Amino acid sequence: MPVPPFVLALRERVGHDQLWLPGVTAVVLREDGPRPRLLLVRRSDTGEWTPVTGIVDPGEDPAVAAVREVLEEADVVATAQRLALVGVVGPVVYDNGDRSLYLDLTFRCRWVSGDPFPADGENTDAGWFDLDALPAMSASMSARVAAALPARGEALFTA
């Protein structure tokens, strides 16, 4: 996975020490047909199907980051509709020894345009899935999707 330049700069100073980073998950729904469909990408590092995820750049609004990540990773234009879930992911230890904790902000997003494909090399596949035929996902990713499915509602907080 490409590492954002600001994280590389931090790593020069802190080495492999744990970083606390803001992250986003974009649960993108396409509702222009008879049944809503969910955008998922297959991660190139783990092979798992997930919604689009990414790191918020310094000073970037998290909802803007979610929409940016969808465009970068899947070449799909989306609009953030609401904050659905807030939680902590990690600690994550990468193959090179870097450690991170993420404050994940999960957004429900609406498809605007575009046909998904793995646009930036972070994923090997991308596509729309019927909500009744989703591929297997981790419990964490399934919880993010479930929190974002209702069109309205208050954001949930993991304990």
Side-chain angles (χ1 to χ4, degrees), residues 47-69:
E48 295 177 357
W49 285 100
T50 72
V52 172
T53 62
I55 296 174
V56 180
D57 289 334
E60 185 177 31
D61 182 281
V64 171
V67 168
R68 173 184 54 78
E69 289 288 348

Side-chain angles (χ1 to χ4, degrees), residues 89-123:
V89 176
V92 177
V93 180
Y94 294 96
D95 289 342
N96 68 356
D98 288 352
R99 295 180 314 220
S100 298
L101 272 172
Y102 296 93
L103 172 64
D104 179 72
L105 304 167
T106 297
F107 290 90
R108 176 193 168 98
C109 299
R110 179 182 54 84
W111 171 83
V112 174
S113 65
D115 295 317
F117 72 94
D120 69 355
E122 290 188 39
N123 303 295

Side-chain angles (χ1 to χ4, degrees), residues 7-19 98-99:
V7 174
L8 293 174
L10 285 170
R11 287 287 174 212
E12 288 179 11
R13 291 180 172 82
V14 301
H16 299 298
D17 288 352
Q18 185 168 278
L19 293 177
D98 288 352
R99 295 180 314 220

